[in-house]
Protein backbone atom coordinates (compact mmCIF):
# COMPACT_ATOMS: atom_id res chain seq x y z
CA UNK A 1 0.00 0.00 0.00
CA UNK A 2 1.15 3.52 -0.79
CA UNK A 3 1.41 6.46 1.64
CA UNK A 4 -2.09 7.77 0.88
CA UNK A 5 -3.62 4.33 1.40
CA UNK A 6 -1.88 4.06 4.77
CA UNK A 7 -3.03 7.56 5.68
CA UNK A 8 -6.65 6.68 4.89
CA UNK A 9 -6.38 3.51 6.96
CA UNK A 10 -4.88 5.53 9.81
CA UNK A 11 -7.88 7.87 9.81
CA UNK A 12 -10.46 5.07 9.66
CA UNK A 13 -8.68 3.13 12.41
CA UNK A 14 -8.50 6.36 14.40
CA UNK A 15 -12.30 6.38 14.44
CA UNK A 16 -12.59 2.96 16.08
CA UNK A 17 -9.76 3.95 18.45
CA UNK A 18 -11.79 7.04 19.35
CA UNK A 19 -14.87 4.93 20.03
CA UNK A 20 -12.85 2.52 22.19
CA UNK A 21 -11.16 5.10 24.40
CA UNK A 22 -14.43 7.03 24.76
CA UNK A 23 -16.19 4.04 26.32
CA UNK A 24 -13.22 2.98 28.45
CA UNK A 25 -12.47 6.43 29.83
CA UNK A 26 -16.06 6.98 30.89
CA UNK A 27 -16.15 3.60 32.66
CA UNK A 28 -13.22 4.72 34.82
CA UNK A 29 -14.63 8.21 35.41
CA UNK A 30 -18.18 7.26 36.46
CA UNK A 31 -17.47 7.19 40.25
CA UNK A 32 -15.98 10.71 40.08
CA UNK A 33 -18.88 11.99 37.94
CA UNK A 34 -21.40 10.51 40.35
CA UNK A 35 -19.69 12.08 43.37
CA UNK A 36 -19.20 15.52 41.79
CA UNK A 37 -22.73 15.90 40.41
CA UNK A 38 -24.43 14.03 43.25
CA UNK A 39 -26.07 11.54 40.92
CA UNK A 40 -28.22 8.71 42.32
CA UNK A 41 -27.20 5.16 41.48
CA UNK A 42 -29.81 4.62 38.76
CA UNK A 43 -28.89 7.88 37.00
CA UNK A 44 -25.19 7.01 37.06
CA UNK A 45 -26.01 3.59 35.59
CA UNK A 46 -27.99 5.23 32.78
CA UNK A 47 -25.02 7.44 31.87
CA UNK A 48 -23.32 4.20 30.81
CA UNK A 49 -26.40 2.40 29.50
CA UNK A 50 -27.60 5.29 27.32
CA UNK A 51 -24.59 4.92 25.05
CA UNK A 52 -25.11 1.18 24.64
CA UNK A 53 -28.80 1.76 23.97
CA UNK A 54 -28.11 4.32 21.23
CA UNK A 55 -25.32 2.28 19.65
CA UNK A 56 -27.08 -1.09 19.65
CA UNK A 57 -30.40 0.44 18.67
CA UNK A 58 -29.21 2.19 15.51
CA UNK A 59 -26.13 0.37 14.24
CA UNK A 60 -28.10 -1.82 11.80
CA UNK A 61 -29.77 1.27 10.35
CA UNK A 62 -26.42 3.04 10.36
CA UNK A 63 -24.76 0.32 8.33
CA UNK A 64 -27.45 0.30 5.68
CA UNK A 65 -27.56 4.09 5.55
CA UNK A 66 -23.88 4.01 4.57
CA UNK A 67 -24.77 1.85 1.55
CA UNK A 68 -27.78 3.90 0.48
CA UNK A 69 -26.85 7.47 1.39
CA UNK A 70 -23.08 7.38 0.96
CA UNK A 71 -20.30 6.04 3.15
CA UNK A 72 -18.28 9.25 3.04
CA UNK A 73 -21.29 11.41 3.84
CA UNK A 74 -22.38 9.23 6.75
CA UNK A 75 -18.85 9.02 8.14
CA UNK A 76 -18.19 12.77 8.08
CA UNK A 77 -21.67 13.76 9.28
CA UNK A 78 -21.79 11.44 12.27
CA UNK A 79 -18.17 12.02 13.25
CA UNK A 80 -19.18 15.68 13.56
CA UNK A 81 -22.20 14.74 15.70
CA UNK A 82 -19.97 12.53 17.87
CA UNK A 83 -17.61 15.46 18.39
CA UNK A 84 -20.39 17.91 19.26
CA UNK A 85 -22.21 15.75 21.81
CA UNK A 86 -19.03 14.52 23.44
CA UNK A 87 -18.26 18.18 24.07
CA UNK A 88 -21.78 18.72 25.43
CA UNK A 89 -21.15 15.96 27.98
CA UNK A 90 -18.08 17.82 29.20
CA UNK A 91 -20.19 20.88 30.03
CA UNK A 92 -22.98 18.93 31.73
CA UNK A 93 -24.07 19.99 35.20
CA UNK A 94 -27.03 17.61 35.59
CA UNK A 95 -27.54 13.91 35.10
CA UNK A 96 -30.16 14.21 32.34
CA UNK A 97 -27.76 16.26 30.18
CA UNK A 98 -25.13 13.53 30.45
CA UNK A 99 -27.68 10.84 29.58
CA UNK A 100 -28.87 12.71 26.47
CA UNK A 101 -25.28 13.42 25.41
CA UNK A 102 -24.26 9.78 25.81
CA UNK A 103 -27.34 8.49 23.97
CA UNK A 104 -26.75 10.75 20.96
CA UNK A 105 -23.03 9.94 21.04
CA UNK A 106 -23.97 6.25 20.90
CA UNK A 107 -26.27 6.90 17.93
CA UNK A 108 -23.45 8.78 16.20
CA UNK A 109 -21.11 5.83 16.76
CA UNK A 110 -23.79 3.52 15.35
CA UNK A 111 -23.66 5.37 12.03
CA UNK A 112 -19.98 6.31 12.05
CA UNK A 113 -18.40 2.93 12.84
CA UNK A 114 -20.14 0.81 10.15
CA UNK A 115 -19.37 3.56 7.63
CA UNK A 116 -15.68 3.39 8.58
CA UNK A 117 -15.61 -0.40 8.35
CA UNK A 118 -17.40 -0.45 4.99
CA UNK A 119 -15.00 2.21 3.70
CA UNK A 120 -12.18 -0.21 4.48
CA UNK A 121 -13.87 -3.20 2.86
CA UNK A 122 -14.61 -1.21 -0.30
CA UNK A 123 -11.30 0.67 -0.49
CA UNK A 124 -8.87 -2.22 -0.19
CA UNK A 125 -8.73 -5.22 -2.50
CA UNK A 126 -10.43 -8.34 -1.18
CA UNK A 127 -7.76 -10.78 -0.10
CA UNK A 128 -4.47 -10.18 1.74
CA UNK A 129 -4.63 -6.38 1.44
CA UNK A 130 -8.15 -6.10 2.86
CA UNK A 131 -7.43 -8.74 5.49
CA UNK A 132 -4.42 -6.80 6.71
CA UNK A 133 -6.44 -3.58 6.86
CA UNK A 134 -9.25 -5.28 8.81
CA UNK A 135 -6.83 -6.89 11.25
CA UNK A 136 -5.20 -3.52 11.91
CA UNK A 137 -8.68 -2.02 12.36
CA UNK A 138 -9.59 -4.73 14.90
CA UNK A 139 -6.30 -4.37 16.76
CA UNK A 140 -6.77 -0.62 16.97
CA UNK A 141 -10.24 -1.09 18.45
CA UNK A 142 -8.90 -3.30 21.23
CA UNK A 143 -5.90 -1.04 21.79
CA UNK A 144 -8.19 1.96 22.14
CA UNK A 145 -10.20 0.30 24.87
CA UNK A 146 -7.14 -0.94 26.76
CA UNK A 147 -5.31 2.39 26.57
CA UNK A 148 -8.54 4.21 27.34
CA UNK A 149 -8.65 2.61 30.77
CA UNK A 150 -5.24 4.06 31.65
CA UNK A 151 -5.83 7.41 29.93
CA UNK A 152 -9.20 7.68 31.66
CA UNK A 153 -7.58 7.09 35.03
CA UNK A 154 -5.01 9.81 34.39
CA UNK A 155 -7.51 12.34 33.01
CA UNK A 156 -9.91 11.71 35.89
CA UNK A 157 -7.15 12.85 38.23
CA UNK A 158 -7.14 16.20 36.37
CA UNK A 159 -10.94 16.39 36.29
CA UNK A 160 -13.60 14.09 34.89
CA UNK A 161 -14.66 16.65 32.27
CA UNK A 162 -11.43 15.96 30.38
CA UNK A 163 -12.79 12.47 29.71
CA UNK A 164 -15.31 14.20 27.41
CA UNK A 165 -13.05 16.93 26.04
CA UNK A 166 -10.17 14.64 25.01
CA UNK A 167 -12.32 12.77 22.42
CA UNK A 168 -13.38 16.16 21.02
CA UNK A 169 -9.75 17.02 20.24
CA UNK A 170 -9.09 13.63 18.63
CA UNK A 171 -12.37 13.68 16.67
CA UNK A 172 -11.55 17.16 15.36
CA UNK A 173 -8.17 16.04 14.07
CA UNK A 174 -9.69 12.95 12.44
CA UNK A 175 -12.43 15.02 10.82
CA UNK A 176 -9.98 17.42 9.20
CA UNK A 177 -7.89 14.55 7.86
CA UNK A 178 -10.93 12.57 6.68
CA UNK A 179 -12.25 15.46 4.57
CA UNK A 180 -9.03 15.38 2.57
CA UNK A 181 -8.37 11.65 2.44
CA UNK A 182 -11.74 9.95 1.88
CA UNK A 183 -12.42 10.11 -1.87
CA UNK A 184 -15.69 11.54 -3.09
CA UNK A 185 -17.86 10.03 -5.81
CA UNK A 186 -16.72 10.93 -9.31
CA UNK A 187 -18.81 13.55 -11.02
CA UNK A 188 -21.28 12.54 -13.66
CA UNK A 189 -19.37 14.25 -16.49
CA UNK A 190 -17.86 11.03 -17.73
CA UNK A 191 -14.39 12.17 -16.71
CA UNK A 192 -12.89 11.19 -13.39
CA UNK A 193 -11.59 13.87 -11.10
CA UNK A 194 -7.87 14.35 -10.97
CA UNK A 195 -6.26 11.45 -9.14
CA UNK A 196 -9.42 9.33 -9.18
CA UNK A 197 -9.87 6.00 -10.94
CA UNK A 198 -11.50 5.57 -14.26
CA UNK A 199 -14.90 3.96 -14.56
CA UNK A 200 -15.38 0.27 -15.22
CA UNK A 201 -16.46 1.06 -18.78
CA UNK A 202 -13.30 3.10 -19.41
CA UNK A 203 -11.06 0.37 -18.04
CA UNK A 204 -12.62 -2.64 -19.72
CA UNK A 205 -14.60 -1.26 -22.65
CA UNK A 206 -17.62 -3.22 -21.41
CA UNK A 207 -20.82 -1.96 -19.78
CA UNK A 208 -20.82 -2.26 -16.04
CA UNK A 209 -23.24 -4.54 -14.21
CA UNK A 210 -25.60 -1.99 -12.64
CA UNK A 211 -26.44 -4.26 -9.72
CA UNK A 212 -22.90 -4.88 -8.55
CA UNK A 213 -20.41 -2.92 -6.52
CA UNK A 214 -22.34 0.26 -5.84
CA UNK A 215 -25.11 1.53 -3.60
CA UNK A 216 -28.66 1.79 -4.75
CA UNK A 217 -29.69 5.00 -6.40
CA UNK A 218 -31.55 7.20 -4.01
CA UNK A 219 -34.30 7.58 -6.59
CA UNK A 220 -35.29 4.01 -5.80
CA UNK A 221 -36.72 5.25 -2.50
CA UNK A 222 -35.85 4.72 1.12
CA UNK A 223 -37.53 2.08 3.26
CA UNK A 224 -38.77 4.47 5.96
CA UNK A 225 -41.16 1.98 7.60
CA UNK A 226 -38.41 -0.63 7.69
CA UNK A 227 -36.04 1.90 9.26
CA UNK A 228 -38.56 2.84 11.97
CA UNK A 229 -39.47 -0.74 12.86
CA UNK A 230 -35.81 -1.85 12.82
CA UNK A 231 -34.71 0.98 15.11
CA UNK A 232 -37.67 0.38 17.44
CA UNK A 233 -37.01 -3.36 17.64
CA UNK A 234 -33.28 -2.86 18.29
CA UNK A 235 -33.88 -0.20 20.95
CA UNK A 236 -36.37 -2.38 22.83
CA UNK A 237 -34.14 -5.45 22.50
CA UNK A 238 -31.13 -3.51 23.80
CA UNK A 239 -33.16 -2.23 26.77
CA UNK A 240 -34.38 -5.75 27.54
CA UNK A 241 -30.79 -7.03 27.50
CA UNK A 242 -29.63 -4.21 29.78
CA UNK A 243 -32.44 -5.07 32.21
CA UNK A 244 -31.22 -8.66 32.50
CA UNK A 245 -28.68 -7.48 35.05
CA UNK A 246 -31.56 -6.83 37.47
CA UNK A 247 -32.37 -10.55 37.54
CA UNK A 248 -35.91 -11.21 38.83
CA UNK A 249 -36.26 -7.67 40.13
CA UNK A 250 -38.84 -6.08 37.82
CA UNK A 251 -38.92 -9.18 35.62
CA UNK A 252 -42.33 -8.21 34.24
CA UNK A 253 -40.85 -5.06 32.66
CA UNK A 254 -37.98 -7.06 31.16
CA UNK A 255 -40.38 -9.66 29.76
CA UNK A 256 -42.75 -7.02 28.38
CA UNK A 257 -39.91 -5.18 26.69
CA UNK A 258 -38.56 -8.39 25.16
CA UNK A 259 -42.03 -9.30 23.89
CA UNK A 260 -42.49 -5.86 22.35
CA UNK A 261 -39.08 -6.11 20.68
CA UNK A 262 -40.01 -9.50 19.24
CA UNK A 263 -43.31 -8.17 17.93
CA UNK A 264 -41.61 -5.23 16.23
CA UNK A 265 -39.02 -7.58 14.74
CA UNK A 266 -41.83 -9.68 13.22
CA UNK A 267 -43.35 -6.51 11.76
CA UNK A 268 -39.94 -5.51 10.39
CA UNK A 269 -39.50 -8.86 8.64
CA UNK A 270 -43.00 -8.60 7.15
CA UNK A 271 -42.22 -5.09 5.88
CA UNK A 272 -38.93 -6.17 4.33
CA UNK A 273 -40.59 -9.09 2.55
CA UNK A 274 -43.12 -6.82 0.87
CA UNK A 275 -41.21 -3.65 0.03
CA UNK A 276 -39.60 -3.24 -3.36
CA UNK A 277 -36.48 -1.58 -1.87
CA UNK A 278 -35.92 -3.24 1.53
CA UNK A 279 -33.65 -1.68 4.11
CA UNK A 280 -32.21 -5.14 4.78
CA UNK A 281 -32.12 -7.84 2.13
CA UNK A 282 -33.27 -10.82 4.18
CA UNK A 283 -31.35 -13.17 1.92
CA UNK A 284 -28.12 -12.07 3.61
CA UNK A 285 -29.18 -14.16 6.62
CA UNK A 286 -29.03 -17.25 4.41
CA UNK A 287 -25.29 -16.74 3.95
CA UNK A 288 -24.01 -19.15 6.56
CA UNK A 289 -20.52 -17.72 6.97
CA UNK A 290 -21.83 -14.20 7.64
CA UNK A 291 -24.38 -15.38 10.22
CA UNK A 292 -21.91 -17.67 11.97
CA UNK A 293 -19.34 -14.87 12.09
CA UNK A 294 -21.87 -12.45 13.59
CA UNK A 295 -22.99 -14.97 16.22
CA UNK A 296 -19.38 -15.84 16.94
CA UNK A 297 -18.58 -12.15 17.45
CA UNK A 298 -21.54 -11.81 19.84
CA UNK A 299 -20.32 -14.74 21.95
CA UNK A 300 -16.65 -13.78 21.88
CA UNK A 301 -17.09 -10.07 22.63
CA UNK A 302 -19.75 -10.84 25.24
CA UNK A 303 -17.40 -13.23 27.04
CA UNK A 304 -14.51 -10.76 26.84
CA UNK A 305 -16.46 -7.83 28.30
CA UNK A 306 -18.19 -10.02 30.85
CA UNK A 307 -14.85 -11.35 32.09
CA UNK A 308 -13.32 -7.88 32.20
CA UNK A 309 -16.31 -6.56 34.16
CA UNK A 310 -16.03 -9.31 36.79
CA UNK A 311 -12.26 -8.87 36.98
CA UNK A 312 -12.65 -5.13 37.56
CA UNK A 313 -15.14 -5.72 40.39
CA UNK A 314 -12.85 -8.35 41.93
CA UNK A 315 -9.84 -6.03 41.91
CA UNK A 316 -11.64 -2.90 43.12
CA UNK A 317 -14.39 -4.14 45.43
CA UNK A 318 -12.76 -7.24 46.91
CA UNK A 319 -9.06 -6.40 46.70
CA UNK A 320 -9.39 -2.64 47.22
CA UNK A 321 -7.32 -1.60 44.19
CA UNK A 322 -7.74 1.95 42.90
CA UNK A 323 -9.22 2.63 39.46
CA UNK A 324 -5.78 3.63 38.15
CA UNK A 325 -4.13 0.48 39.55
CA UNK A 326 -6.86 -1.63 37.96
CA UNK A 327 -6.49 0.14 34.61
CA UNK A 328 -2.72 -0.40 34.57
CA UNK A 329 -3.17 -4.07 35.48
CA UNK A 330 -5.55 -4.56 32.55
CA UNK A 331 -3.07 -3.13 30.05
CA UNK A 332 -1.81 -6.69 29.52
CA UNK A 333 -5.10 -7.38 27.73
CA UNK A 334 -4.02 -4.79 25.18
CA UNK A 335 -1.33 -7.08 23.75
CA UNK A 336 -3.84 -7.75 20.97
CA UNK A 337 -3.15 -4.25 19.63
CA UNK A 338 0.38 -5.46 18.81
CA UNK A 339 -0.44 -9.04 17.81
CA UNK A 340 -3.48 -8.32 15.59
CA UNK A 341 -1.59 -6.43 12.85
CA UNK A 342 1.64 -8.47 13.11
CA UNK A 343 1.03 -12.11 14.02
CA UNK A 344 -2.60 -12.62 12.98
CA UNK A 345 -2.17 -11.74 9.26
CA UNK A 346 0.54 -14.37 8.92
CA UNK A 347 -1.63 -17.00 10.59
CA UNK A 348 -4.64 -16.09 8.43
CA UNK A 349 -2.52 -16.30 5.28
CA UNK A 350 -1.19 -19.72 6.24
CA UNK A 351 -4.20 -21.39 7.87
CA UNK A 352 -7.26 -19.36 6.77
CA UNK A 353 -9.40 -17.19 9.03
CA UNK A 354 -11.70 -20.07 10.03
CA UNK A 355 -8.96 -22.02 11.79
CA UNK A 356 -7.50 -18.88 13.36
CA UNK A 357 -10.91 -17.97 14.77
CA UNK A 358 -11.26 -21.44 16.28
CA UNK A 359 -7.77 -21.09 17.79
CA UNK A 360 -8.81 -17.78 19.35
CA UNK A 361 -11.87 -19.36 20.94
CA UNK A 362 -9.81 -22.26 22.31
CA UNK A 363 -7.30 -19.85 23.84
CA UNK A 364 -10.16 -17.87 25.38
CA UNK A 365 -11.53 -21.05 27.00
CA UNK A 366 -8.08 -21.68 28.50
CA UNK A 367 -7.70 -18.06 29.68
CA UNK A 368 -11.06 -17.77 31.42
CA UNK A 369 -10.84 -21.32 32.76
CA UNK A 370 -7.51 -20.54 34.43
CA UNK A 371 -9.19 -17.73 36.38
CA UNK A 372 -12.08 -19.81 37.75
CA UNK A 373 -10.26 -20.84 40.97
CA UNK A 374 -9.26 -17.21 41.72
CA UNK A 375 -8.30 -16.73 45.36
CA UNK A 376 -8.66 -13.97 47.91
CA UNK A 377 -5.01 -12.98 47.77
CA UNK A 378 -3.88 -13.89 44.26
CA UNK A 379 -0.80 -11.97 43.16
CA UNK A 380 -0.66 -10.14 39.86
CA UNK A 381 1.77 -12.80 38.65
CA UNK A 382 -0.95 -15.41 39.19
CA UNK A 383 -3.42 -13.34 37.14
CA UNK A 384 -1.00 -12.44 34.36
CA UNK A 385 -1.25 -15.72 32.36
CA UNK A 386 -5.01 -15.26 32.04
CA UNK A 387 -4.62 -11.63 30.95
CA UNK A 388 -1.97 -12.28 28.32
CA UNK A 389 -3.73 -15.38 26.94
CA UNK A 390 -7.07 -13.54 26.81
CA UNK A 391 -5.45 -10.66 24.93
CA UNK A 392 -3.85 -13.08 22.48
CA UNK A 393 -7.18 -14.84 22.00
CA UNK A 394 -8.80 -11.51 21.15
CA UNK A 395 -6.06 -10.83 18.58
CA UNK A 396 -6.66 -14.21 16.94
CA UNK A 397 -10.46 -14.19 16.92
CA UNK A 398 -11.83 -10.67 16.57
CA UNK A 399 -10.07 -9.53 13.40
CA UNK A 400 -10.69 -12.79 11.49
CA UNK A 401 -14.34 -12.67 12.62
CA UNK A 402 -14.54 -9.23 11.00
CA UNK A 403 -13.08 -10.70 7.81
CA UNK A 404 -15.56 -13.60 7.83
CA UNK A 405 -18.52 -11.25 8.45
CA UNK A 406 -17.74 -9.15 5.36
CA UNK A 407 -15.91 -11.59 3.08
CA UNK A 408 -17.71 -12.34 -0.16
CA UNK A 409 -20.51 -9.82 0.50
CA UNK A 410 -21.40 -7.66 -2.49
CA UNK A 411 -19.83 -4.21 -2.40
CA UNK A 412 -23.27 -2.61 -2.42
CA UNK A 413 -24.05 -4.39 0.88
CA UNK A 414 -20.76 -3.88 2.73
CA UNK A 415 -22.38 -1.25 4.95
CA UNK A 416 -25.18 -3.67 5.79
CA UNK A 417 -22.67 -6.42 6.63
CA UNK A 418 -20.68 -4.00 8.78
CA UNK A 419 -23.84 -2.83 10.52
CA UNK A 420 -24.87 -6.41 11.28
CA UNK A 421 -21.45 -7.16 12.73
CA UNK A 422 -21.53 -4.06 14.92
CA UNK A 423 -25.08 -4.87 16.02
CA UNK A 424 -24.06 -8.34 17.15
CA UNK A 425 -20.91 -7.12 18.91
CA UNK A 426 -22.80 -4.40 20.78
CA UNK A 427 -25.49 -6.84 21.84
CA UNK A 428 -22.72 -9.25 22.78
CA UNK A 429 -21.09 -6.77 25.14
CA UNK A 430 -24.45 -5.94 26.69
CA UNK A 431 -25.40 -9.63 27.04
CA UNK A 432 -22.02 -10.52 28.57
CA UNK A 433 -22.09 -7.77 31.19
CA UNK A 434 -25.78 -8.29 32.00
CA UNK A 435 -25.38 -12.07 32.28
CA UNK A 436 -22.40 -11.94 34.66
CA UNK A 437 -24.15 -9.24 36.70
CA UNK A 438 -27.31 -11.35 36.99
CA UNK A 439 -25.37 -14.49 37.97
CA UNK A 440 -23.34 -12.52 40.51
CA UNK A 441 -26.57 -11.09 41.93
CA UNK A 442 -28.14 -14.52 42.35
CA UNK A 443 -24.97 -16.01 43.83
CA UNK A 444 -24.40 -13.13 46.23
CA UNK A 445 -27.85 -13.24 47.82
CA UNK A 446 -27.63 -13.79 51.55
CA UNK A 447 -24.16 -13.83 53.07
CA UNK A 448 -22.54 -11.81 50.28
CA UNK A 449 -25.24 -9.12 50.32
CA UNK A 450 -25.92 -6.36 52.78
CA UNK A 451 -23.82 -3.54 54.25
CA UNK A 452 -21.10 -5.89 55.57
CA UNK A 453 -20.80 -8.80 53.11
CA UNK A 454 -18.75 -11.88 53.85
CA UNK A 455 -15.57 -11.70 51.67
CA UNK A 456 -15.53 -15.46 51.08
CA UNK A 457 -19.16 -15.42 49.97
CA UNK A 458 -18.42 -12.48 47.66
CA UNK A 459 -15.47 -14.37 46.18
CA UNK A 460 -17.72 -17.37 45.62
CA UNK A 461 -20.18 -15.13 43.77
CA UNK A 462 -17.37 -13.83 41.57
CA UNK A 463 -16.37 -17.40 40.73
CA UNK A 464 -19.95 -18.22 39.78
CA UNK A 465 -20.11 -15.18 37.49
CA UNK A 466 -16.83 -16.21 35.83
CA UNK A 467 -18.53 -19.35 34.54
CA UNK A 468 -20.55 -17.20 32.11
CA UNK A 469 -17.57 -16.18 29.91
CA UNK A 470 -16.34 -19.79 29.85
CA UNK A 471 -19.74 -21.00 28.65
CA UNK A 472 -19.97 -18.27 25.99
CA UNK A 473 -16.56 -18.97 24.42
CA UNK A 474 -17.21 -22.72 24.57
CA UNK A 475 -20.39 -22.20 22.56
CA UNK A 476 -18.42 -19.97 20.20
CA UNK A 477 -15.78 -22.65 19.69
CA UNK A 478 -18.48 -25.19 18.82
CA UNK A 479 -20.06 -22.74 16.39
CA UNK A 480 -16.75 -21.88 14.72
CA UNK A 481 -15.95 -25.54 14.21
CA UNK A 482 -18.84 -25.75 11.72
CA UNK A 483 -16.96 -24.26 8.80
CA UNK A 484 -16.83 -20.61 9.85
CA UNK A 485 -15.11 -18.61 7.17
CA UNK A 486 -14.88 -21.43 4.64
CA UNK A 487 -15.82 -20.22 1.22
CA UNK A 488 -15.98 -22.39 -1.87
CA UNK A 489 -12.96 -21.86 -4.06
CA UNK A 490 -13.68 -20.98 -7.69
CA UNK A 491 -12.97 -23.66 -10.21
CA UNK A 492 -9.83 -23.36 -12.30
CA UNK A 493 -11.92 -22.82 -15.41
CA UNK A 494 -13.87 -20.00 -13.81
CA UNK A 495 -10.88 -18.40 -12.16
CA UNK A 496 -8.56 -18.41 -15.18
CA UNK A 497 -10.44 -15.87 -17.34
CA UNK A 498 -10.89 -13.53 -14.40
CA UNK A 499 -7.24 -13.86 -13.47
CA UNK A 500 -6.22 -13.08 -17.01
CA UNK A 501 -8.48 -10.04 -17.17
CA UNK A 502 -7.50 -8.61 -13.80
CA UNK A 503 -3.97 -9.74 -13.27
CA UNK A 504 -4.91 -12.01 -10.35
CA UNK A 505 -2.79 -14.97 -9.49
CA UNK A 506 -4.11 -18.33 -10.73
CA UNK A 507 -6.60 -19.75 -8.28
CA UNK A 508 -7.39 -16.37 -6.75
CA UNK A 509 -11.05 -15.47 -6.63
CA UNK A 510 -11.97 -12.90 -9.31
CA UNK A 511 -13.49 -10.59 -6.70
CA UNK A 512 -10.17 -10.45 -4.89
CA UNK A 513 -8.29 -8.99 -7.83
CA UNK A 514 -8.66 -5.44 -9.05
CA UNK A 515 -7.04 -3.41 -11.76
CA UNK A 516 -4.72 -0.85 -10.21
CA UNK A 517 -5.38 2.40 -12.03
CA UNK A 518 -4.01 5.85 -11.21
CA UNK A 519 -5.88 7.26 -8.29
CA UNK A 520 -5.58 6.90 -4.55
CA UNK A 521 -1.91 6.08 -4.28
CA UNK A 522 -1.51 2.49 -3.24
CA UNK A 523 -5.23 1.77 -3.12
CA UNK A 524 -7.15 -0.35 -5.60
CA UNK A 525 -8.49 2.72 -7.30
CA UNK A 526 -11.64 1.16 -8.68
CA UNK A 527 -12.79 0.39 -5.12
CA UNK A 528 -12.59 3.60 -3.16
CA UNK A 529 -15.25 5.92 -4.55
CA UNK A 530 -18.11 3.49 -5.09
CA UNK A 531 -20.49 5.31 -2.73
CA UNK A 532 -22.06 8.73 -3.17
CA UNK A 533 -20.34 11.56 -1.35
Amino acid sequence: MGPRAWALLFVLCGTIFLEGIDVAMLAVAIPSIRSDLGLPTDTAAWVMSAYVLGYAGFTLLGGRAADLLGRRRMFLTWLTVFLAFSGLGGFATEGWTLIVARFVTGVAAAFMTPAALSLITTSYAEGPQRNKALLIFAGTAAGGFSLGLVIGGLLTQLGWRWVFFAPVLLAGALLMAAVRLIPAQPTGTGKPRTGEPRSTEARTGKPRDPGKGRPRRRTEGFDLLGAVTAAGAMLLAAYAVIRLEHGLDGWWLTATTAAAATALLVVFVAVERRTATPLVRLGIFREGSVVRADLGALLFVGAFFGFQFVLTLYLQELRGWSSLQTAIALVALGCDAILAPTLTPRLVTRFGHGRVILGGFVLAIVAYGLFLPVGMDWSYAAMFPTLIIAGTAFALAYGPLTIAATDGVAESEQGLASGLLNTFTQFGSAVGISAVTAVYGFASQGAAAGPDPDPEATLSAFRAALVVPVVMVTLGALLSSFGLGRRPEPTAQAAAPAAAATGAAPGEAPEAAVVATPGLSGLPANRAPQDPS
Side-chain angles (χ1 to χ4, degrees), residues 306-322 326 329-330 371-380 382-383 387 440 455-456 458-463 465-466:
F307 170 75
Q308 189 168 260
F309 183 72
V310 176
L311 176 60
T312 301
L313 291 179
Y314 164 76
L315 294 176
Q316 292 189 4
E317 294 190 358
L318 194 61
R319 301 294 297 276
W321 291 22
S322 68
T326 302
L330 295 180
F371 212 79
L372 286 176
V374 60
M376 188 70 68
D377 56 354
W378 267 26
S379 66
Y380 184 68
M383 306 176 205
L387 299 179
Y440 174 79
E456 287 295 336
T458 302
L459 179 61
S460 178
F462 281 134
R463 288 172 178 165
L466 286 167

Side-chain angles (χ1 to χ4, degrees), residues 358-430:
L358 180 58
F361 273 108
V362 171
L363 279 184
I365 294 172
V366 173
Y368 304 147
L370 286 174
F371 212 79
L372 286 176
V374 60
M376 188 70 68
D377 56 354
W378 267 26
S379 66
Y380 184 68
M383 306 176 205
F384 187 76
T386 287
L387 299 179
I388 201 72
I389 294 173
T392 304
F394 198 99
L396 295 185
Y398 186 69
L401 280 168
T402 305
I403 295 172
T406 57
D407 203 18
V409 176
E411 198 166 306
S412 60
E413 291 186 328
Q414 283 293 326
L416 172 60
S418 302
L420 284 172
L421 176 63
N422 280 280
T423 298
F424 276 80
T425 54
Q426 283 301 307
F427 272 95
S429 63

Side-chain angles (χ1 to χ4, degrees), residues 181-343:
L181 289 170
I182 300 177
Q185 182 186 28
T187 59
T189 61
K191 297 181 180 181
R193 298 174 184 172
T194 302
E196 288 184 347
R198 297 173 295 164
S199 67
T200 302
E201 293 88 340
R203 288 198 319 271
T204 65
K206 297 179 180 180
R208 182 180 180 179
D209 179 0
K212 184 177 180 179
R214 71 178 186 186
R216 297 174 187 271
R217 294 181 182 273
R218 275 168 283 176
T219 54
E220 293 178 9
F222 188 78
D223 182 14
L224 181 60
L225 183 57
V228 171
T229 52
M234 293 298 100
L235 279 169
L236 289 172
Y239 181 60
V241 169
I242 291 172
R243 281 205 52 82
L244 288 176
E245 64 187 52
H246 298 287
L248 295 178
D249 184 22
W251 65 268
W252 58 271
L253 179 58
T254 304
T256 302
T257 305
T262 303
L264 263 182
L265 184 61
V266 171
V267 173
F268 169 71
V269 171
V271 170
E272 299 307 277
R273 285 181 178 276
R274 288 167 173 76
T275 185
T277 56
L279 180 73
V280 176
R281 183 180 63 84
L282 298 179
I284 197 170
F285 294 105
R286 291 194 293 270
E287 298 178 17
S289 178
V290 172
V291 174
R292 284 192 295 270
D294 289 338
L295 289 174
L298 183 151
L299 292 168
F300 190 87
V301 172
F304 184 82
F305 277 93
F307 170 75
Q308 189 168 260
F309 183 72
V310 176
L311 176 60
T312 301
L313 291 179
Y314 164 76
L315 294 176
Q316 292 189 4
E317 294 190 358
L318 194 61
R319 301 294 297 276
W321 291 22
S322 68
S323 58
L324 184 57
Q325 287 175 313
T326 302
I328 294 174
L330 295 180
V331 166
L333 288 170
C335 67
D336 54 350
I338 299 173
L339 296 176
T342 55
L343 174 64

Side-chain angles (χ1 to χ4, degrees), residues 60-75 111-112 114-116 118-119 215 222 412 414-416 418 531-532:
L60 179 60
L61 177 59
R64 196 56 179 142
D67 288 331
L68 299 178
L69 304 179
R71 299 178 182 106
R72 183 179 190 272
R73 177 183 288 114
M74 290 294 99
F75 181 84
F111 283 82
M112 175 182 72
S118 62
L119 278 168
F222 188 78
S412 60
Q414 283 293 326
L416 172 60
S418 302
D531 58 284

